[in-house]
Every structure is written in structure tokens, then in C-alpha cells.
Amino acid sequence: PDTRQALTGLFTEKPQSGEVTVGENITFVAKVNAESLLKKPTIRWFKGKWMDLATKCGKHLQLKETYDRSSKVYTFEMQISAAKANFAGGYRCEVSSKDKFDSCNFELTVHGESSTHHPSPLLRVDGGIFVSADGNDDSGELDFSALLKKRAVQVHSEPDVDVWSILSKAPPSAFEKIAFQYGITDLRGMLKRLKKMKKDEKKSEAFLKKLDPAYQVSKGQKMKLAVEVADENVEVKWLKNGQEIQKSGRYIFESVGNMRYLTINHCSLSDDAAYTCVVGEEKCTTELFVKEPPVMIVKNLDDQMVMKGERVELECEVSEEGANVKWEKDGVELTRDESFKYRFKKDGCKHVLIINEATKEDCGHYKVKTNGGESVAELLVQGHRSAKALTPSIADLTVKAKDQAVFKCEVSDENVRGTWYKNGVEVKPDPRINISHIGRIHKLTIDEVKPEDEGDYTFVPDGYAFNLSAKLNFIDPPKIHLDCVGRTAESTIVVVAGNKLRLDVPITGDPAPTVIWTKREKVISEGDGRVRVETTTGHCIFTIEGAERQDEGIYSVVVRNPAGEDTADINVKVVDVPDPPQAPKILSVGEDSCVVQWEPPQFDGGQPITGYVVERKKLKSYRWMRLNFEPFPETTYEAKRMIEGVPYEMRVYAVNSIGMSRHSPASQPFVPVAPTSEPIGLCVEDISDSSISLKWRAPERIGAAELQGYGIEYRREGTDEWIPASQGLTERTSATIRDLNTGDKLQFRVRAFNMAGPSAPATLAQPVTIREIMQRPKIWLPRALRQTIIKKVGDVVNIVIPFQVLWTSVLSYLKHNFSKALLVILVKEWYTVHDHYRRTHCVVSDLIMGNEYIFRVFSTNLVGLSPEPCTTKDSVYIQKTGILYKAPNYKEHDFSEPPKFTHPLVNRSVIAGYSTTLSCAVRGIPKPKVTWYKNKMDISNEAKYRMLSKQGVLTLEIRKPCPFDGGVYTCKAVNDCGEDVVECKLEVRSQISKEEKKDANI
């Protein structure tokens, strides 16, 4: 089945099968609604499988089309007049518009000739078939078997030839004849380019096989240029007339091993140029010649018989506008001689040979020739009767639409009657055309002139060989038929940057108007530039290839002809992805989070910003991780789930309806840290009339950041203002605050500081009054001293008495009994280590490490101890003995190795729209750096792709791939010891619609 039928239905009314009797007329009607179409639909009628009926228009077949601007419906009609039995069979109607297509099959049944014929008006039959009994004898010929036998057109089916080869071998005198035979329109340009071509016989190091000197292709066909390079990994560039060719739908670049291909689809005359393949500093060049298809004769010459002195017009119609034809008489080519006996007229596809005042010498066979066929007609000239004097001539008329045209001529005798002809066909009176004869004056009046009234009008008096001719020229003011005109938002044409904009503007006017496109009063010329205009029959085409931001603006189109002019303004708006935002700023950081802020981009791409995408990465990493997959509408974002103490960077993308911008510059590096917990155990150690001493312990949780110190603040009771107690921070866990006012009631708090800021405060339970606390001294007498102590006379009594007293209160006590107080303060506890020891040196054991000792020695006899001891001058400190660990020496083993893929990438084929992953495994020491490529282009910073790495397993995630994402994907691992590469091919298939599935099941 024809898969194109599954696209969409374009017909609003399809032609239906019908029946007709031999000799009657029938009309098939098809209707197409063009409201949703960007371009005028093209319709083709076929008989059988491939016979195109457009070339068979004539006596029995006419094709018509009309357009209703109010309903935007095209009506196409195929009228068959005077049907014959061999017209029966299957017919097909095809309609297409850009990428849409529809077709319909129908049957025509022809019955035998009826016994009687009665003229009847057109009758409508269900399905759009019209049957009529009135035939038209001056139409064309639809008897296909008869057409094959007719002498008129002789088409020679010849094999394709290489014109370049023929020209290179032919003498210069035969160039013009070869150009006409093979349809070469620009012979001079072709010879000039062939002359410039040079043969390069020098052996090339970059190319194993170069391009041929020249290639030839027919218009509309596909051309493939191929070169073979020496290095299969080398990149090549293709140039057209010195300009680099960009990849598009028409130009396709391929690389297969050492071969490099350039494919040009649907070759047009603009592709006729010089093409160059460049590899480094070397290049090879070829010429591509685009040959136009042969010009066919679609309407043949008709045999004519005229009277001597009459005007003769031999007319034919060819398949291409502006084609060159040759006229011959009895085998001799006709030219414009000095007497201007022969006139050659060209009107679009029509070509006319005009002979003024035919003579007997003009009898013969006239032939018109094209490079695709020829047609022959016979002209007979008979003698004339004696004529009476007529008016010298009839004036040519030029009228506008709906005006009145009057042709008037005067004969010498009022009894002479005559006939009016239009293009050789007798003019019949109707409600719009009036023919009058009053005396010697003959008038032809045409009311409300229409375009079809244009032609050559001739008055022929009955019985005379003379005639008078005049031409009616119809001029219609030009008109631009465009819906989107003006400068309002509704009339603006929006195009995405990089895409192609093509405006096919219908225009009308007779004669064909000239078209001028301007932008800011600068005329846009026709040509092959990026912004260009083209003018064809009934249309002016405005094209922007790869729209850019500077293409935005008001474009004006002006159409002019002698009847007037029309103008229209077209507002073109180019939309693009936005500019990247400014570098983001970090407002604050937390233990595992931060708050980032950025400014909107300066240019939003012509569309509102829908949101932003935020990414982060570790400072020493190369992989960016996306934090939100849906656009975030605000310009302040809180990023979470970060590792405390690790430095990070942030960047932002802007998103609008067109797509995502480039990323912003990275933010300044920052480290997520949290403040410490509050200090613990805050209390008052001492207080006086002007100072207070506080002490506390370090916080339980310090965190990843280093503790910088403590800040002490106080505030008076009843106020909310906290006043720093000292400048800067203190590293100690105690502090004395001086110069306070006696009697103030103050509240104190202490906070710990690190790079994240202050912690929660540790506050005293209640305010403290700055005033010295007066207390009576207290003596804490031990229980052992509450009993009687008996000592010998002369023994030293060493009594330790604990007491509690403020130094300020004890000053008076020290004045009265200073020696006693000093004894109490300086008393130390003595222990006897040896008793009745006779040597003058000793070793003291069982001492406690870390303590400091003073020793004294008494001498003794039978009476007792000496009055005064001998005391050591210096104290002895018992050092703590430690164990020093000496690590053994080991020779380090070199574990480094180059990267190696232990599991390669596998070729995959996926369906568009479904996310997919490519995975491989790699090992290497040190850990290799991994980079992903698509078609040898780095995709590390592309937001569409997500790269993962876990325990040596590498994964590339492609979100919702489209056919454009297909290609060769490469994974490259690099470390100090070497590198390794692995690649695979990814094919992205389009989704199968429901209609295609149904067709497949059928």
C-alpha cells in the first residue's frame, strides 16, 4: 500500500466514480480546504497508474481550478467533453502541499451511444460529478490511442549522455547546436568555467582519489561527490564557489572509512557551481553542471487554410516557460528578415509564428522544434476576391478590469456584413458582448472586461479577403494576497533563530507586476544570499536561510505594473534562546546547603523567561550535576545535600520557550559549613565592684571548620542592645570583663565563632549585679585537729588549717598576725623517706611521675633531731617516661597502570522520546579522567546528557532522544600512564503512529 495516504486527509470532497454515454460530457470535482496549509496545494490527475492528464488537455479534456477566498477552499475540476468508449477505466487524483499528501481513485464507465441526443444543461450528480450533453468541438483531443498515431509530436527517447564529454570533443563551431539539443541555457558561462579548469597531475599526500574534473546531473535529481583520503580520521571541508557548505536537508556529509561523500538532494540550477574538498592545506576541485529536462511540446500546431492577404498565426505550447524553440519552413530555419515578414511571439509557455498578409509563396509545411520534440502543420493560401475599401485599421485597446472595450471599424458599403473573431474563433454575442452594425459602422462592445477577454480581435467582411485586426490588452492593478500584514502582535511572523523562513506571497496583476522587497529602505536583491527574494508567476518568495537576530524587523513588499501598485508590511520577529545569566552570588552557606542568587539575562531571546536550571560541581571535579530538572521560576535558589567542608562552584542556565541558554560563569568557590554548637557551662567565677570573671567549656560540636574564638557580650537589664565586652575574639575559655559600673545589673552571653559565623549563645540564667560580695572568713577545722596533739619538747609542730576568705577581707588580719598567716599559707606536707640512715647519699623511690619535689635532711643523735634541716636549693621534677615508636621502612609498590576498558560500549537502537543509557567499565591507577564525545564533539557541558561514574562503571544518560541524537558516541579515559577509547553507534528510530501500525497489520 501507498504509505503516503496515511499522513492526513486533504480532500473535503473527493471525486466519485461516474457513468456517461458516448458523446456526452462529464465533470469530476475535488475540493481542498487550504485554511491550515502553508502553501497552495498542487493537484495531479492520472489515468491508469502513471498517465499524467495535464499533458493531454485539448479537445476532449480540460482542467480548471478556482479559489474561494472567503471559505479558503480550492475547487479542482476535470471536464471530459464528447466522451468516447476508450475513455473508460480507472482514474486517480493526487493532491499535495509541502509534507502533506492525499489521493483518491475513481472509475469512469462509458456506455454505448444513445439513440437520440437532447441538449440539456449541466446536471449535478452525488460526489461532485457533472454530466452534460453539450460537447465542445474546439477543445483538445483525449483519444490517447489516436494521439500516439498523430504526426504532431515526435519524442525521441535517448539514453542519458554526458554533455561535458561531448563538448570537450566537439569543435567550437558546433557548441551552439549542442547547447540547443541538450538544453544548455548558459553556454557561455559553462565554456568559461570549463576553460578555467586545470588538470592536477601532481600526486597528493592527503588524497588517494580526487574528484573528477566535472560532473553532470539532471535538474531535480540527486548528486553524490566522493573522494578517498589517506587518513581515515582526518576532517574535510566542502566548499561551493569558495564558500563553506553548512549541513542541511539538501546537503548531507558522510564519512565511511577513508571515503568522504557530499550528497546534494533535488539539484537545482543554483547548484550549478564549482565544488572543492579541502583537507588541511590540500584541496581538489570539480565542476557540477545541472542539465535542465528536455522541453516537450504539449499543444501542437494546427493545419490552416487562409485567403491571400490574411494574417496567419501558428501557435504551440511547450512544457517550460521561456524555453527556446526553432521555426522551420520546408526544412529551412526561419529568422527575422529585414521586411519583418515573420514575427515570433513568446508568451509564457506559448510560442506563436505570425505571418502578415499571407501570399502564395507562404504555402508549405511549418515545423517548430525543441530539444524534446517537434510539431508540424501545413499552411494553404488561396486567392482572394476583389475587395472594397475599408478603414485603415482598428486601434488597439488597453483596459482595466470591469471597464468597457469598444472595437469600431468602417466599411465602404453599408450593405457589407462581416464577422468578428477572437484569436481565430468567432465571437458570439452574450449578455456581456454586443455586436452591432449601423450603416457602414461595425462595433464590438465588451462590458466588464475580464482577463480572459484579452487577445487579438479581427473583423472579416463577408466575401472579402481583407481583414482588420486589433489587440485587446487587459491590465489588472497588482494586489498582494497576504493575511499577516501590518505591525500588530497578531500579524507578526515568528521564526526561531537558525531555522529557515520562507514566505510564499501570492500576487495578482496583469501585466505581471514587478516586485521590490525592502527593509529599512534598503532594497533586498534577488540572488543566492542568506536573505533573498525570488519572483515567479503569481508568487513572490521571501526566504531567510538560518535566521539571525539582526534579521528581525519590518519588511516591505511593493508590487507595481502600469495599472498601479500595492504595498504590504510584514513584521518578522526572530526568537532565540536567552543570553546566559550573570555569574551567581552565594548569599549564605549552611552545614550541607547554600543560598545562591543571580541576575536575569540581559536579552531574553524575544520570549519570556520561563525559569532557570541550576548546576553545581566540586571545585576539583570536572562533572557538573543538575539540581533541578524543571525550570525554577525565581532568581534565588537554596541548594541542599552537599558535603560539609568540601569546596563547591555554582552556575545557572536561563530557559525560555525556545530552549536553554549557554551556562553562566561559575560562582566564586565556597565551602558548606555550619556554626558550632553553643558553649557549655557558662558561670561566674569571681565578681568585684568594677569587674566580673566568667568561665565556660568548649562546644560539644565543632564541625568541619576550625574554631576561630569566642565572643562575649552583655546588655543592661531592660534593654535589647548587646554590647561587645572586648575587641575581637578570645581563644581562652575564661575572661575577665573590667571597667564596669558598680551596681549595674547586666546579662552576659558567650558565642563560639567559625567561618560559618556565630553559634547559638550560651547565656547566664539570670542577670548579675556588679558589686563585691562581703563574707566573713571561715576556718574549716579538720576532725583530726579536734583532739589533743602530744609532742616532745623541741619537736616541730606542722599543722595545716583550711580556711575560706576573700583577700580583701583578710588584709586587716594579715596586718596583725602576718607571720602566723604566712605560716599557714606556705605550709607544705613533708614525708619521711628514710629514718636513721647512716650514709651521706641515698636513692628515693616510689615517687609519682609528673610531680615536683623538694628534699631536706636532719641530723640526729641520742638527744634528738638537729634544730635546722638542710634543704635542696632546687626542686626535682619527675619526668614522665614515654615510648617512642619508630616505624619500619618499607619500599612502596607502584600500583599505577594506564586506563583500560574492561567492558566496551554496545551499539544500540532506541525509539525517539524514551530516555536511554550507554554503559561501559574502565579501570586505571590513578583514577582516569573520563570524557564523552558525540560524533567527535565534546558533550561534557551539554545539559541534555548526564554522566555518571560509580566504582569504575561509566554511564551516559540521554534524556528523551530525538533522531538528531543518533550517531557515534565515544568514551575516552585518560590518566598520567596513558589513555583508552571505546565507541558505539546509537540509532534513534521515529515513533510509529497508529495509522502506520494499522497499515502494517494489513
Side-chain angles (χ1 to χ4, degrees):
D2 190 353
T3 58
R4 295 180 297 177
Q5 299 187 26
L7 292 176
T8 180
L10 296 177
F11 288 111
T12 57
E13 182 177 336
K14 296 183 178 181
Q16 304 293 325
S17 300
E19 299 180 358
V20 69
T21 305
V22 173
E24 294 185 347
N25 304 336
I26 186 170
T27 301
F28 296 92
V29 177
K31 293 185 178 181
V32 176
N33 189 347
E35 185 173 1
S36 61
L37 301 181
L38 301 177
K39 190 177 180 182
K40 175 186 174 183
T42 302
I43 196 163
R44 301 179 68 184
W45 300 85
F46 296 89
K47 183 176 189 297
K49 291 184 178 181
W50 51 74
M51 183 178 290
D52 191 348
L53 298 183
T55 61
K56 306 301 180 183
C57 294
K59 180 178 179 181
H60 295 281
L61 175 67
Q62 295 85 36
L63 302 178
K64 296 182 179 179
E65 69 174 72
T66 57
Y67 178 61
D68 187 354
R69 295 190 180 277
S70 59
S71 61
K72 296 185 178 180
V73 173
Y74 284 91
T75 302
F76 302 94
E77 298 182 2
M78 182 179 73
Q79 298 178 356
I80 298 178
S81 305
K84 297 182 181 180
N86 58 352
F87 291 0
Y91 290 77
R92 184 171 81 257
C93 177
E94 292 184 356
V95 61
S96 62
S97 177
K98 206 169 183 182
D99 57 347
K100 298 184 179 180
F101 178 87
D102 200 2
S103 66
C104 175
N105 297 321
F106 56 95
E107 299 286 337
L108 173 62
T109 304
V110 181
H111 299 289
E113 188 174 0
S114 59
S115 58
T116 59
H117 293 285
H118 301 284
S120 62
L122 291 173
L123 304 176
R124 182 171 183 90
V125 184
D126 288 342
I129 302 174
F130 292 80
V131 182
S132 171
D134 61 29
N136 195 357
D137 294 336
D138 61 350
S139 306
E141 178 67 47
L142 190 62
D143 188 348
F144 307 125
S145 61
L147 286 175
L148 296 175
K149 301 174 184 177
K150 195 167 182 178
R151 168 175 54 94
V153 179
Q154 300 177 6
V155 180
H156 302 284
S157 177
E158 299 179 357
D160 290 340
V161 295
D162 188 355
V163 180
W164 152 247
S165 177
I166 295 176
L167 284 173
S168 62
K169 298 177 181 178
S173 59
F175 284 170
E176 187 172 353
K177 183 178 180 181
I178 295 173
F180 178 81
Q181 181 179 356
Y182 293 102
I184 300 175
T185 57
D186 187 13
L187 177 60
R188 290 184 180 179
M190 182 174 181
L191 294 176
K192 185 176 181 181
R193 287 162 51 195
L194 291 176
K195 187 177 180 181
K196 290 183 178 180
M197 292 175 56
K198 300 179 180 179
K199 296 183 178 179
D200 188 4
E201 301 295 342
K202 186 178 70 173
K203 184 173 181 63
S204 172
E205 296 181 357
F207 295 96
L208 298 180
K209 182 180 179 182
K210 291 188 174 183
L211 295 169
D212 293 340
Y215 294 87
Q216 176 180 304
V217 64
S218 298
K219 182 179 178 182
Q221 299 299 315
K222 180 171 73 173
M223 186 64 200
K224 194 169 188 178
L225 304 178
V227 297
E228 184 176 0
V229 296
D231 184 2
E232 66 176 5
N233 298 320
V234 74
E235 296 288 339
V236 303
K237 291 184 180 179
W238 292 92
L239 309 180
K240 174 183 176 184
N241 288 335
Q243 300 294 323
E244 184 173 355
I245 302 175
Q246 302 298 328
K247 186 176 181 181
S248 64
R250 292 186 62 244
Y251 297 102
I252 300 174
F253 306 113
E254 296 179 80
S255 175
V256 180
N258 292 79
M259 300 300 296
R260 301 294 184 269
Y261 300 96
L262 169 62
T263 303
I264 308 173
N265 293 318
H266 307 294
C267 290
S268 63
L269 293 180
S270 63
D271 296 318
D272 191 285
Y275 291 83
T276 303
C277 180
V278 180
V279 177
E281 298 296 330
E282 296 192 30
K283 61 183 178 180
C284 59
T285 304
T286 186
E287 293 283 345
L288 176 63
F289 300 103
V290 180
K291 184 177 71 172
E292 291 190 286
V295 179
M296 310 298 294
I297 297 179
V298 298
K299 184 177 181 181
N300 308 312
L301 298 175
D302 293 329
D303 296 337
Q304 292 193 30
M305 183 177 67
V306 298
M307 302 298 293
K308 184 177 180 181
E310 289 184 346
R311 174 188 173 104
V312 179
E313 292 188 2
L314 297 174
E315 180 181 319
C316 72
E317 186 174 344
V318 297
S319 58
E320 295 286 340
E321 290 189 9
N324 294 323
V325 302
K326 286 186 178 181
W327 292 91
E328 294 181 359
K329 177 192 174 187
D330 297 330
V332 179
E333 184 177 355
L334 299 178
T335 60
R336 285 190 174 94
D337 55 12
E338 296 180 356
S339 62
F340 295 99
K341 181 176 183 63
Y342 300 108
R343 289 175 51 202
F344 305 100
K345 181 181 176 183
K346 184 187 298 185
D347 185 8
C349 295
K350 293 183 179 180
H351 293 261
V352 184
L353 171 64
I354 301 175
I355 306 174
N356 293 317
E357 299 182 1
T359 62
K360 287 286 187 178
E361 290 77 12
D362 296 326
C363 293
H365 292 85
Y366 290 82
K367 180 187 294 184
V368 60
K369 296 174 65 176
T370 68
N371 60 353
E374 60 183 30
S375 178
V376 180
E378 184 178 4
L379 174 63
L380 297 177
V381 180
Q382 296 182 351
H384 61 83
R385 308 185 187 100
S386 59
K388 294 187 178 181
L390 300 174
T391 53
S393 63
I394 304 176
D396 292 343
L397 298 179
T398 300
V399 295
K400 298 181 180 179
K402 297 187 178 181
D403 287 353
Q404 185 185 67
V406 178
F407 291 103
K408 181 174 69 172
C409 71
E410 184 179 358
V411 298
S412 58
D413 189 351
E414 63 182 11
N415 295 323
V416 174
R417 299 185 179 277
T419 306
W420 289 91
Y421 293 89
K422 174 193 173 185
N423 297 332
V425 179
E426 183 179 354
V427 178
K428 300 292 185 181
D430 61 22
R432 212 170 44 82
I433 301 176
N434 181 34
I435 301 176
S436 63
H437 176 204
I438 302 175
R440 295 185 299 172
I441 305 299
H442 292 261
K443 281 187 180 181
L444 171 63
T445 305
I446 305 174
D447 296 326
E448 297 184 359
V449 176
K450 299 180 178 179
E452 54 265 26
D453 294 328
E454 186 177 34
D456 292 327
Y457 288 83
T458 306
F459 176 73
V460 179
D462 294 344
Y464 297 91
F466 290 106
N467 58 65
L468 297 176
S469 298
K471 186 172 181 62
L472 175 62
N473 297 311
F474 177 82
I475 59 174
D476 186 18
K479 181 68 176 176
I480 300 174
H481 304 283
L482 191 62
D483 296 333
C484 55
V485 293
R487 304 189 181 186
T488 62
E490 293 78 9
S491 62
T492 300
I493 297 177
V494 179
V495 59
V496 178
N499 288 359
K500 177 179 179 180
L501 173 63
R502 177 185 171 95
L503 295 178
D504 195 342
V505 181
I507 58 175
T508 57
D510 197 0
T514 59
V515 182
I516 300 176
W517 287 84
T518 59
K519 179 186 179 185
R520 300 190 187 100
E521 300 181 356
K522 183 179 179 181
V523 177
I524 302 174
S525 60
E526 296 189 13
D528 293 333
R530 193 177 56 80
V531 180
R532 64 181 185 272
V533 296
E534 304 174 42
T535 304
T536 61
T537 304
H539 294 269
C540 58
I541 302 170
F542 173 72
T543 305
I544 300 178
E545 296 281 357
E548 298 177 358
R549 194 177 300 177
Q550 59 265 27
D551 297 329
E552 186 172 280
I554 304 296
Y555 291 84
S556 300
V557 56
V558 181
V559 292
R560 294 192 184 96
N561 71 359
E565 70 175 37
D566 191 15
T567 62
D569 290 338
I570 301 175
N571 189 10
V572 176
K573 181 179 180 181
V574 180
V575 296
D576 198 356
V577 297
D579 288 346
Q582 301 296 321
K585 299 178 181 178
I586 307 301
L587 298 184
S588 63
V589 295
E591 181 179 1
D592 63 347
S593 64
C594 74
V595 176
V596 59
Q597 188 180 56
W598 59 90
E599 294 294 331
Q602 295 180 354
F603 177 66
D604 61 1
Q607 294 291 308
I609 299 295
T610 58
Y612 300 90
V613 173
V614 184
E615 290 184 340
R616 76 165 183 236
K617 79 172 183 68
K618 297 177 183 177
L619 182 61
K620 297 183 179 180
S621 174
Y622 294 96
R623 177 178 170 270
W624 289 89
M625 185 174 70
R626 181 173 292 185
L627 302 183
N628 60 309
F629 289 95
E630 294 296 330
F632 185 71
E634 305 296 334
T635 57
T636 302
Y637 184 83
E638 183 180 4
K640 299 181 178 180
R641 301 179 65 183
M642 291 186 284
I643 302 173
E644 185 180 5
V646 177
Y648 286 89
E649 289 179 321
M650 306 287 286
R651 70 182 185 186
V652 185
Y653 297 83
V655 182
N656 63 6
S657 58
I658 305 304
M660 184 183 298
S661 73
R662 291 179 287 107
H663 61 77
S664 69
S667 67
Q668 292 294 328
F670 65 95
V671 179
V673 291
T676 67
S677 60
E678 69 274 7
I680 58 177
L682 176 63
C683 63
V684 177
E685 186 178 24
D686 193 10
I687 189 170
S688 68
D689 289 339
S690 61
S691 64
I692 186 172
S693 296
L694 303 174
K695 66 177 181 179
W696 60 89
R697 295 194 301 276
E700 292 182 351
R701 181 179 58 81
I702 301 297
E706 182 181 355
L707 181 64
Q708 296 175 345
Y710 300 93
I712 308 168
E713 297 174 315
Y714 66 89
R715 65 178 175 87
R716 291 178 175 83
E717 188 178 27
T719 64
D720 296 329
E721 181 185 1
W722 289 94
I723 302 172
S726 61
Q727 295 294 332
L729 304 177
T730 178
E731 298 180 357
R732 301 175 59 186
T733 56
S734 63
T736 300
I737 305 169
R738 306 180 188 279
D739 300 329
L740 300 177
N741 297 325
T742 304
D744 285 349
K745 201 170 187 179
L746 304 178
Q747 178 67 276
F748 291 88
R749 72 178 185 183
V750 178
R751 295 188 295 177
F753 284 80
N754 64 3
M755 64 181 302
S759 68
T763 309
L764 291 175
Q766 58 187 3
V768 178
T769 302
I770 306 303
R771 181 182 298 116
E772 182 178 6
I773 301 175
M774 301 299 294
Q775 293 182 353
R776 293 177 61 85
K778 293 183 180 179
I779 297 175
W780 303 96
L781 187 64
R783 183 175 298 178
L785 297 180
R786 295 179 184 178
Q787 59 187 0
T788 303
I789 299 175
I790 301 175
K791 289 291 183 178
K792 292 181 179 181
V793 175
D795 289 349
V796 177
V797 180
N798 187 9
I799 300 175
V800 179
I801 303 176
F803 63 90
Q804 178 181 349
V805 64
L806 289 177
W807 293 109
T808 54
S809 356
V810 84
L811 287 177
S812 59
Y813 175 75
L814 290 176
K815 292 177 182 178
H816 297 290
N817 199 354
F818 178 78
S819 60
K820 184 177 180 181
L822 184 61
L823 173 65
V824 174
I825 294 172
L826 299 179
V827 70
K828 296 185 175 72
E829 187 174 2
W830 292 95
Y831 298 93
T832 302
V833 294
H834 289 290
D835 191 15
H836 298 289
Y837 191 76
R838 297 182 180 276
R839 297 183 181 182
T840 57
H841 60 86
C842 67
V843 177
V844 181
S845 58
D846 297 331
L847 299 179
I848 299 174
M849 289 186 298
N851 287 352
E852 188 175 5
Y853 294 90
I854 297 175
F855 296 89
R856 66 183 182 181
V857 180
F858 289 89
S859 61
T860 183
N861 57 15
L862 293 176
V863 178
L865 295 176
S866 61
E868 295 294 333
C870 177
T871 308
T872 58
K873 294 181 179 181
D874 299 319
S875 61
V876 178
Y877 180 76
I878 308 303
Q879 294 284 349
K880 294 183 178 180
T881 59
I883 300 176
L884 296 177
Y885 173 75
K886 185 176 182 181
N889 293 327
Y890 296 100
K891 184 178 179 181
E892 294 185 1
H893 180 73
D894 186 9
F895 291 95
S896 61
E897 63 173 326
K900 181 179 179 181
F901 284 94
T902 59
H903 188 279
L905 292 172
V906 181
N907 295 338
R908 296 203 59 187
S909 178
V910 300
I911 298 176
Y914 295 89
S915 297
T916 185
T917 57
L918 303 177
S919 298
C920 61
V922 68
R923 72 181 185 190
I925 299 174
K927 183 179 179 181
K929 175 186 174 182
V930 178
T931 308
W932 289 89
Y933 299 88
K934 174 194 170 188
N935 295 333
K936 300 185 179 179
M937 298 295 291
D938 190 355
I939 58 175
S940 299
N941 295 326
E942 295 291 337
K944 186 180 184 72
Y945 304 97
R946 186 182 179 194
M947 297 82 171
L948 303 176
S949 175
K950 185 176 182 180
Q951 300 296 326
V953 178
L954 310 178
T955 304
L956 174 65
E957 180 181 349
I958 307 175
R959 300 184 66 254
K960 298 182 179 179
C962 61
F964 175 75
D965 293 320
V968 177
Y969 285 81
T970 305
C971 182
K972 183 177 181 181
V974 180
N975 68 4
D976 295 337
C977 298
E979 64 179 40
D980 196 9
V981 176
V982 66
E983 64 180 25
C984 71
K985 291 184 179 179
L986 176 65
E987 177 188 4
V988 182
R989 307 191 305 274
S990 301
Q991 297 188 19
I992 303 177
S993 61
K994 295 182 180 179
E995 292 79 2
E996 292 176 341
K997 290 182 179 178
K998 291 181 181 178
D999 293 342
N1001 294 332
I1002 294 175

